[in-house]
Amino acid sequence: MDVISIFQYSLVYNAFSFSFATMAAAALFLWLGRSQVSANYKTAVTISGLVCAIAAYHYLRIFESWETAYVVKNGVVITSGFAFNDAYRYVDWLLTVPLLLIELVLVMRLTREETISKSVRLGFAAALMIALGYPGEIASDIPTRALWGTLSAIPFLYIVWELFSGLGASIDRQPESVRNLVKKARLLTFASWGFYPIVYMAPYANISGADAETAIQIGYTIADLVAKAAVGVLVWVIAVRKSEAEALTA
Ligand SMILES: *C/C=C(C)/C=C/C=C(C)/C=C/C1=C(C)CCCC1(C)C
């Protein structure tokens, strides 16, 4: 059926390999950098590292699955008969998206009850969003994809609204030295999270099998790198600055 070009095959192959290395490096960096933040922020930084470690593992599996799904023969790519497994990505999200939300809630530094209730509500909404998106992701026709995608967008909009209002309110309570960084973290989060549903809609744009597959894999990979590794490192910088500011006023 859909024969993928050697260029598309290599592009995705290299993107997965690069992502594995970046996620693994970010996890190590965050865990080692944990000693530079005060006790208040250690959990947030530990979780950031965990998100990148889980993603690194899944990128390794996604990479292997991509490699086994195709055979390169005389410069032509043919399918091997083993299907590429998209489920790794969704299982990864099922674990990492609630963790990322908890990381952001921790950065807001709310009361204990608020932290727990917000984490539970957001975690549940995230699981629902991903579970509803999966049947659409593996569907072969556009109407089915659109139906599940629309259902998945309902919990997605709820999450965006909760985060936007919650992070917005917490920005006013931040010390001067990190206010801009928290705004950047919020912007990066919204830009990357908003990118996933756009990538999901790639097949609507009348592009064929291999082109759509390449666009989706590259798109999700870029979004993952920003949402997990870049935001994770930014959260760490914010934690270091806040630890310094709090040590001065203590
Ligand atoms: C590290 C992974 C992250 C932050 C993944 C986030 C994923 C989303 C925000 C996905 C959203 C989707 C929709 C809003 C509708 C279509 C289906 C999804 C699952 C792609």
Side-chain angles (χ1 to χ4, degrees):
M1 218 184 66
D2 308 312
V3 194
I4 190 165
S5 78
I6 186 104
F7 172 74
Q8 289 172 325
Y9 172 76
S10 312
L11 187 68
V12 174
Y13 180 99
N14 291 325
F16 289 165
S17 172
F18 175 80
S19 272
F20 166 66
T22 308
M23 294 293 189
L28 259 182
F29 175 85
L30 290 165
W31 284 336
L32 293 174
R34 211 176 152 271
S35 61
Q36 278 163 269
V37 306
S38 72
N40 286 337
Y41 305 104
K42 287 206 193 291
T43 309
V45 173
T46 303
I47 293 178
S48 292
L50 209 52
V51 165
C52 293
I54 295 169
Y57 165 74
H58 283 114
Y59 269 100
L60 186 63
R61 303 310 307 265
I62 289 172
F63 175 81
E64 286 173 345
S65 174
W66 186 258
E67 214 181 5
T68 9
Y70 300 98
V71 181
V72 184
K73 240 188 188 157
N74 303 326
V76 177
V77 189
I78 54 171
T79 49
S80 69
F82 289 102
F84 172 62
N85 188 356
D86 246 335
Y88 287 129
R89 208 180 265 295
Y90 273 74
V91 172
D92 179 83
W93 292 352
L94 213 46
L95 290 167
T96 56
V97 173
L99 287 173
L100 274 172
L101 289 168
I102 292 170
E103 172 188 325
L104 291 169
V105 169
L106 286 175
V107 167
M108 294 179 204
R109 286 198 72 196
L110 307 165
T111 63
R112 203 186 172 80
E113 295 87 75
E114 274 182 307
T115 302
I116 295 171
S117 78
K118 238 191 212 314
S119 299
V120 170
R121 270 182 291 142
L122 286 172
F124 181 74
L128 197 62
M129 169 185 89
I130 292 153
L132 290 171
Y134 187 63
E137 190 73 75
I138 56 172
S140 45
D141 62 296
I142 303 280
T144 311
R145 195 177 179 91
L147 170 70
W148 291 105
T150 307
L151 291 175
S152 167
I154 299 167
F156 172 73
L157 290 175
Y158 165 72
I159 294 170
V160 169
W161 169 76
E162 272 272 3
L163 279 187
F164 205 84
S165 57
L167 286 173
S170 87
I171 285 174
D172 301 329
R173 286 185 267 120
Q174 302 299 323
E176 200 59 53
S177 64
V178 297
R179 216 166 276 172
N180 261 327
L181 285 175
V182 176
K183 280 189 189 154
K184 278 203 186 102
R186 183 175 68 164
L187 183 70
L188 267 188
T189 300
F190 287 120
S192 57
W193 286 50
F195 200 51
Y196 292 90
I198 295 173
V199 171
Y200 180 90
M201 291 189 282
Y204 302 0
N206 230 348
I207 52 177
S208 80
D211 292 343
E213 178 76 314
T214 307
I216 288 172
Q217 296 310 330
I218 298 292
Y220 284 157
T221 301
I222 294 171
D224 275 351
L225 286 168
V226 176
K228 297 176 170 71
V231 170
V233 172
L234 200 52
V235 162
W236 175 81
V237 175
I238 291 169
V240 170
R241 295 257 180 103
K242 289 185 77 168
S243 304
E244 285 165 3
E246 284 159 23
L248 285 177
T249 55

